[in-house]
Amino acid sequence: TLCGYLNKLGIKGPIKTWKSRWFFYDDNKCNLLYYRTAQDINPLGSISLSSASFDCKVENGEGVFEIRTPSRVFTLKAISKQAMMYWLQQLQMRRWEFCSTQSRFPPKSNGSLSSFCVLVCFYIDVDNEDFLPPVKTPTEAVGLKAASLPAPQTSTALQNISLKHPWTEIQNTVYNICGSKQLWGHNGNVFSFGEFQEHPENPDEEQEAEEGTPENGRLEPRLNWVRKAKWMNSGFPGSPEELSRERNPMDKVSVLQQQILTLTEEVKSQKELVKLLHKALEAAQQEKRVSSMYLTAVDNKDRLELVRHKVRQIADLTSRLEALEREKKELERILTLRDSHIQELKEHVQLLMEKNHTKQEVIMALMEQMAQEFSDPLQEANTITTETLYKQQEEIEHLKDDINAYKTQNQFLNSEIHQVTRLWTSIAENEKALLMKYACLQARNCQMESRYLTVLRKLQEAEPGLPSSHAELVRNLIQEALQWDVKEGAEEAPSFELTSTLCTSSEYDEYGFMTVPDYEVEDWKLLAKIQALEIKSNNLRSQEAVEKPLRDRWNSIGELSPSADLKSLIRSGIPVEHRQRVWRWIVSRYCSHLPDHYQQLLRQSKSTEHPACRQIELDLPRTLTNNKHFSSPTSQLIPRLRRVLLAFSWHNPAIGYCQGLNRLAAVALLVLEDEETAFWCLVHIVENLMPADYYSDTLITSQVDQRVFKDFLSDKLPRLMAHFEQYRIDVSLITFNWFLVAFVDSLVSDILLRVWDAFLYEGTKVIFRYALAIFKYNEEEILRIHDSVEIYQYLRFFTRMITDGRKLMTIAFNDLNPFPMKLLRNRRSMHREELEAELCELEQIKAAYVKERAEQGS
């Protein structure tokens, strides 16, 4: 059992005093209880050690150490340095044992998901850490033997009494008085305690004495009696047998005198306490007599007279109180005057002392001068040398003591820091494991929701064959499912990389795109819901294994420069926090920004209306309707998008404006945010990445790319192309818009921006790769459809069936290799010649037809 006497620093305003307290460690709650004496039954307070830290500073004095809790700092003082180190080491060990027990055996929760909780326990062998060797137990200051010794004496009897806990002091005093009477009542001798002697043959009493404190903070009564018996028997050897064992009569006399002094001090303190209780009792009896008179009065007049008497007493007391208040104010005024007078006298005394000190210094200087004149110079030098050497030796000894003290302090603090660090590491690992478990459960939940919605969709397709009640139930379930929140927010932000995935509670993503687009067709809404859930599930599953290492690689990149490693990273997708920086670098690398060029274009668009202005105004409300930054005519980005498109129409008069440029500029604005940089990004796409005439009036190059894509589709996916030819499916009706706007409004934002990352860096070859990858991703589903109308209906929304962006990226950049740029250029050249020949032939046929009609008309 860890217990013993320590001095506790008490602070009452500006007054600081040391008070002796008996400290007892509670193993059950990891609390350090403290009492006035070892015989008290109620503690004066407790110190929680589970979240406390310990410190000892040399400058505080020998034996002084601190216990720092989150709410208070306790300053304690042991009788010696050895006792202090023993207490600190034992408290460290008890705190570690309690925290380890708590982490290994956590309280059971009543939640339904308690079986899924994962707690990682770390067994740490702290005994092997050789920071501070074990301190020998100081038996004279710690343990049950210390309880048998008298409490350390203070200068006055009342100095050690706790004024903050008067009721506890009264209870302890009454308890000790009653206990003393029971002890003395058997033989009338305070030194006879035969009834309370401990018997070695009875182990129950010994075990009972060593038990900890129960939950209410009290020691068991039997423990107090055992302590009291030990104290009385060991501290006051009053029996004849014990007195006879003393060495000589002088020792007996000194022991008895010590007993008399101790008992005299105890009697004085008990008398003062009894006086206080007598005064309180007299006041209570007086109040009781008055109340009894009031209750026993038969006539109301008598009661009224008693009430009036009380009122007169109250008035008299009130007047006396007012008089005392006036007297107090007068005394305070007099005290203030006296204080000022005392201050003046102090200043005068200080001045006189300074004068006296100056005179003494002059006298000392004259005396030293006289001594130097009459003394031998060699003897004087020897004396000075001896004194200087003695002082230096004293300083060296002091410095050695300080060095040893600081070494001990450093060892202890290293041990403390090591233990706290190990505890923190254990908790952090535990938290990380729980968060990973939470991510897995959330991913599984999204997958189950997705499967549930898929089943509802299958039931919806089979609705014509269902009874009316079942069909109505299916419709209600679908409506209820569409009302669910797609992304569940976390109540508290996790402390590592799962934050970006677990803490999204909004219906919009980082760039303002709706996670579940609000389609008019209910079937499309259900598909969008399924897609959002599957994407979230895939992101949660790949967060730790894929996204975290990728983010670490991006964080380690400093200045950007073209390389194969950078190309691979961009293909894998740029994290949100790095995307704007990388896009700006790509645009500035391929486009030389002309100073003030964009501002000149804006001034020109304000002064002169461009012919494409009307078409731009018509397309603005139809731009990215599923994005909150463009969904309303009053959105902030609508005016900025208008200025970017007008500036481009003046910058490139050959194109002016073409439908589709609004979506390209809108995506650039969402990522880059800066208006002028978004303008140059649009210039980079139209003039550098896309071939010439891609956005011209005839869209001739766009048509060429559709023919090239069909060739690649035949090469890479021959079964799928044969299936399309069998049912006469023209895929260009679906893919033409993909190439024109780089998949905007066709892919979900998460996959779309990854496509754009590679597209801005590598060019249009990326669009061919991803277009082929989309068909290969859904190849088996398309091959199972054997009706041309159903195939067209499936191709309208099959991009919404893509949920795994990583799988799509792997197909695009790995499964479709080789994909040489030279082959793409050759096929473009070939099909362009064919298309121009066909257009020329059509023009000739058209001219011949017009000429023939003209001749027939004439």
Side-chain angles (χ1 to χ4, degrees):
T1 302
L2 180 60
C3 56
Y5 278 106
L6 291 173
N7 288 330
K8 177 177 172 291
L9 182 63
I11 301 175
K12 185 76 173 179
I15 302 174
K16 297 182 180 180
T17 57
W18 290 100
K19 295 186 178 181
S20 175
R21 294 289 180 259
W22 172 262
F23 284 83
F24 182 84
Y25 176 74
D26 181 5
D27 292 318
N28 297 328
K29 290 189 176 182
C30 194
N31 286 345
L32 191 63
L33 308 176
Y34 54 91
Y35 306 76
R36 186 165 66 88
T37 64
Q39 290 74 39
D40 290 348
I41 188 172
N42 291 325
L44 300 176
S46 64
I47 305 173
S48 177
L49 302 181
S50 60
S51 59
S53 62
F54 314 113
D55 190 13
C56 61
K57 297 180 179 179
V58 176
E59 56 268 19
N60 289 344
E62 182 178 357
V64 179
F65 62 98
E66 294 179 350
I67 301 179
R68 299 178 180 271
T69 66
S71 59
R72 186 179 171 188
V73 177
F74 295 87
T75 304
L76 308 177
K77 183 177 181 180
I79 61 173
S80 65
K81 180 180 177 181
Q82 180 189 3
M84 176 193 73
M85 296 308 301
Y86 176 79
W87 272 98
L88 287 173
Q89 199 172 60
Q90 289 296 318
L91 291 176
Q92 268 190 342
M93 293 170 57
R94 305 299 173 97
R95 180 192 62 188
W96 171 254
E97 291 172 0
F98 180 80
C99 294
S100 300
T101 304
Q102 292 296 317
S103 63
R104 293 172 191 160
F105 307 104
K108 297 181 179 180
S109 62
N110 297 326
S112 60
L113 293 176
S114 62
S115 60
F116 294 105
C117 292
V118 177
L119 290 177
V120 181
C121 298
F122 295 89
Y123 296 91
I124 304 171
D125 186 9
V126 297
D127 295 334
N128 296 330
E129 305 297 342
D130 192 13
F131 287 102
L132 191 66
V135 180
K136 184 179 178 182
T137 306
T139 55
E140 74 281 358
V142 179
L144 292 177
K145 289 185 178 180
S148 63
L149 300 175
Q153 297 298 318
T154 55
S155 58
T156 61
L158 289 177
Q159 181 177 343
N160 206 36
I161 295 178
S162 175
L163 300 179
K164 292 184 179 179
H165 309 87
W167 180 244
T168 304
E169 288 283 356
I170 293 172
Q171 284 182 324
N172 290 333
T173 302
V174 172
Y175 184 80
N176 290 333
I177 293 173
C178 294
S180 300
K181 288 181 178 180
Q182 291 177 4
L183 292 174
W184 298 342
H186 293 280
N187 52 10
N189 188 353
V190 296
F191 304 122
S192 189
F193 294 93
E195 182 182 352
F196 294 94
Q197 294 292 331
E198 290 183 79
H199 301 284
E201 64 272 7
N202 187 2
D204 296 332
E205 180 179 322
E206 191 170 1
Q207 179 182 359
E208 213 172 332
E210 291 179 357
E211 290 180 353
T213 58
E215 294 183 357
N216 58 3
R218 295 182 173 212
L219 291 173
E220 292 291 330
R222 190 170 184 83
L223 174 63
N224 285 279
W225 293 122
V226 172
R227 288 180 179 175
K228 197 170 187 69
K230 287 182 180 180
W231 175 65
M232 296 296 290
N233 285 320
S234 60
F236 305 103
S239 61
E241 293 80 8
E242 292 174 352
L243 290 176
S244 64
R245 286 197 297 267
E246 298 295 334
R247 295 180 180 178
N248 51 52
M250 294 302 295
D251 291 339
K252 295 180 183 179
V253 171
S254 62
V255 170
L256 292 175
Q257 288 178 350
Q258 180 66 26
Q259 294 174 9
I260 292 171
L261 291 175
T262 304
L263 291 175
T264 303
E265 292 294 331
E266 184 68 22
V267 169
K268 285 182 181 179
S269 62
Q270 299 297 339
K271 284 182 179 180
E272 292 180 3
L273 184 60
V274 168
K275 287 180 182 179
L276 294 175
L277 293 175
H278 272 303
K279 290 182 180 180
L281 181 61
E282 289 176 0
Q285 288 176 350
Q286 181 67 24
E287 185 67 23
K288 180 180 177 182
R289 284 195 296 271
V290 175
S291 300
S292 299
M293 292 173 61
Y294 179 79
L295 293 174
T296 54
V298 179
D299 195 357
N300 289 334
K301 290 183 179 180
D302 297 337
R303 292 187 176 183
L304 182 61
E305 183 60 29
L306 289 173
V307 171
R308 287 175 178 172
H309 177 66
K310 282 291 182 182
V311 170
R312 286 193 297 272
Q313 286 183 344
I314 291 171
D316 184 35
L317 291 174
T318 303
S319 61
R320 290 173 62 188
L321 180 62
E322 291 176 353
L324 290 174
E325 287 290 338
R326 290 192 297 270
E327 185 179 356
K328 176 186 174 183
K329 291 180 180 179
E330 181 65 22
L331 291 175
E332 287 178 350
R333 187 182 65 81
I334 296 173
L335 181 62
T336 304
L337 294 175
R338 289 186 177 180
D339 287 342
S340 61
H341 183 62
I342 290 171
Q343 187 64 30
E344 292 177 358
L345 292 176
K346 285 182 178 180
E347 292 176 357
H348 185 64
V349 170
Q350 183 66 25
L351 182 60
L352 293 176
M353 289 177 65
E354 290 177 357
K355 290 182 179 180
N356 187 26
H357 182 67
T358 304
K359 291 179 180 179
Q360 288 180 355
E361 288 181 350
V362 173
I363 293 170
M364 290 297 296
L366 293 174
M367 290 178 67
E368 288 178 359
Q369 185 178 358
M370 291 175 63
Q372 289 177 358
E373 291 177 356
F374 292 103
S375 63
D376 185 13
L378 182 60
Q379 183 181 359
E380 179 184 358
N382 292 334
T383 305
I384 295 174
T385 304
T386 304
E387 292 178 356
T388 305
L389 182 62
Y390 180 72
K391 290 181 180 179
Q392 288 178 351
Q393 288 178 349
E394 284 186 347
E395 291 179 359
I396 290 172
E397 292 298 326
H398 287 310
L399 289 174
K400 286 182 179 179
D401 293 340
D402 291 344
I403 289 172
N404 292 331
Y406 279 116
K407 283 182 179 179
T408 305
Q409 180 186 4
N410 188 38
Q411 289 176 343
F412 170 74
L413 291 178
N414 286 340
S415 175
E416 177 75 3
I417 292 169
H418 179 71
Q419 286 195 13
V420 172
T421 304
R422 298 293 286 272
L423 286 173
W424 177 84
T425 304
S426 173
I427 293 170
E429 292 294 333
N430 198 356
E431 182 184 9
K432 184 176 180 180
L434 290 175
L435 287 171
M436 290 302 301
K437 183 68 176 179
Y438 169 70
C440 293
L441 291 175
Q442 196 176 15
R444 190 183 305 171
N445 181 51
C446 293
Q447 196 172 20
M448 295 302 295
E449 288 184 22
S450 172
R451 292 176 181 175
Y452 171 71
L453 294 176
T454 304
V455 171
L456 288 181
R457 184 170 177 272
K458 295 294 183 183
L459 290 174
Q460 186 185 33
E461 293 176 356
E463 186 176 339
L466 296 175
S468 59
S469 60
H470 293 177
E472 181 65 24
L473 178 61
V474 170
R475 284 193 293 272
N476 291 337
L477 289 175
I478 291 174
Q479 290 296 330
E480 181 182 352
L482 291 175
Q483 300 300 322
W484 292 345
D485 290 332
V486 178
K487 297 187 176 181
E488 300 177 356
E491 294 180 359
E492 296 181 0
S495 59
F496 66 109
E497 286 77 4
L498 286 174
T499 306
S500 60
T501 304
L502 299 180
C503 294
T504 12
S505 58
S506 173
E507 57 180 331
Y508 299 96
D509 65 4
E510 297 87 350
Y511 296 102
F513 289 98
M514 295 179 66
T515 53
V516 182
D518 189 15
Y519 296 116
E520 296 180 0
V521 183
E522 187 176 273
D523 190 41
W524 286 19
K525 287 183 181 179
L526 202 56
L527 284 173
K529 183 83 171 180
I530 294 171
Q531 185 187 32
L533 289 170
E534 288 291 339
I535 289 174
K536 184 179 180 182
S537 177
N538 290 328
N539 289 340
L540 286 169
R541 291 177 183 276
S542 65
Q543 185 69 26
E544 189 68 15
V546 180
E547 299 297 334
K548 182 178 179 295
L550 181 64
R551 186 176 290 107
D552 293 340
R553 290 180 64 189
W554 274 106
N555 291 336
S556 64
I557 292 179
E559 186 177 352
L560 297 172
S561 60
S563 63
D565 188 30
L566 180 64
K567 181 179 179 180
S568 174
L569 278 177
I570 291 176
R571 284 183 173 185
S572 300
I574 305 172
V576 176
E577 59 268 25
H578 295 283
R579 179 167 284 132
Q580 185 181 106
R581 177 173 70 99
V582 177
W583 282 26
R584 286 177 183 271
W585 173 77
I586 293 173
V587 172
S588 62
R589 181 168 174 261
Y590 291 101
C591 285
S592 55
H593 292 198
L594 301 176
D596 204 34
H597 178 66
Y598 180 69
Q599 300 299 329
Q600 291 177 4
L601 295 174
L602 289 182
R603 289 192 290 269
Q604 186 176 358
S605 63
K606 289 180 180 179
S607 60
T608 306
E609 183 176 349
H610 195 276
C613 183
R614 177 180 173 81
Q615 186 60 44
I616 291 173
E617 292 296 331
L618 291 175
D619 286 347
L620 285 177
R622 294 179 288 191
T623 304
L624 301 185
T625 54
N626 63 337
N627 189 289
K628 66 180 180 180
H629 298 298
F630 296 99
S631 58
S632 171
T634 59
S635 299
Q636 293 182 353
L637 293 186
I638 292 291
R640 300 166 69 179
L641 177 61
R642 180 187 294 111
R643 290 193 292 270
V644 170
L645 294 175
L646 287 173
F648 181 81
S649 63
W650 285 107
H651 170 78
N652 193 334
I655 297 175
Y657 175 74
C658 175
Q659 286 186 340
L661 296 180
N662 57 324
R663 300 177 193 178
L664 300 176
V667 173
L669 271 173
L670 287 175
V671 176
L672 296 170
E673 297 180 358
D674 180 60
E675 195 175 310
E676 184 173 357
T677 310
F679 163 77
W680 287 110
C681 182
L682 181 61
V683 172
H684 172 56
I685 294 171
V686 175
E687 298 181 1
N688 297 334
L689 299 180
M690 295 299 192
D693 299 330
Y694 215 84
Y695 298 98
S696 63
D697 294 338
T698 59
L699 300 175
I700 183 170
T701 312
S702 300
Q703 299 179 51
V704 169
D705 274 359
Q706 294 307 305
R707 298 191 179 193
V708 175
F709 177 70
K710 289 179 183 178
D711 288 349
F712 283 127
L713 197 61
S714 299
D715 296 340
K716 303 293 183 181
L717 304 172
R719 285 197 308 147
L720 187 62
M721 191 61 188
H723 189 69
F724 287 151
E725 290 175 354
Q726 179 183 354
Y727 292 99
R728 297 180 180 179
I729 303 297
D730 186 5
V731 294
S732 62
L733 297 176
I734 305 298
T735 60
F736 185 84
N737 195 52
W738 294 1
F739 284 76
L740 195 67
V741 296
F743 297 103
V744 178
D745 285 340
S746 297
L747 295 174
V748 293
S749 60
D750 182 60
I751 301 175
L752 171 68
L753 292 172
R754 292 183 183 181
V755 174
W756 270 60
D757 293 338
F759 165 63
L760 290 177
Y761 188 72
E762 299 184 46
T764 53
K765 185 173 69 171
V766 173
I767 298 180
F768 282 94
R769 282 183 177 273
Y770 270 101
L772 291 169
I774 290 171
F775 279 104
K776 186 172 179 59
Y777 189 97
N778 298 277
E779 181 179 11
E780 297 301 327
E781 291 290 333
I782 298 173
L783 291 175
R784 281 195 287 266
I785 304 174
H786 299 285
D787 182 77
S788 58
V789 176
E790 291 185 7
I791 291 175
Y792 272 119
Q793 289 179 350
Y794 182 79
L795 293 179
R796 288 181 61 196
F797 63 81
F798 81 121
T799 56
R800 298 174 183 84
M801 306 298 291
I802 299 173
T803 58
D804 193 346
R806 290 289 166 193
K807 178 182 176 182
L808 186 68
M809 181 197 69
T810 304
I811 295 172
F813 293 109
N814 294 335
D815 298 352
L816 296 176
N817 285 334
F819 205 95
M821 190 66 185
K822 183 178 180 181
L823 178 62
L824 176 60
R825 284 195 293 265
N826 292 338
R827 291 193 176 183
R828 272 178 171 168
S829 178
M830 179 186 67
H831 284 292
R832 186 179 182 90
E833 291 177 0
E834 293 176 359
L835 185 58
E836 286 177 349
E838 290 175 6
L839 291 176
C840 185
E841 185 179 351
L842 286 175
E843 287 293 333
Q844 291 175 1
I845 295 172
K846 181 180 178 181
Y849 176 75
V850 172
K851 183 179 180 181
E852 183 181 353
R853 290 292 301 270
E855 290 176 355
Q856 289 178 359
S858 61

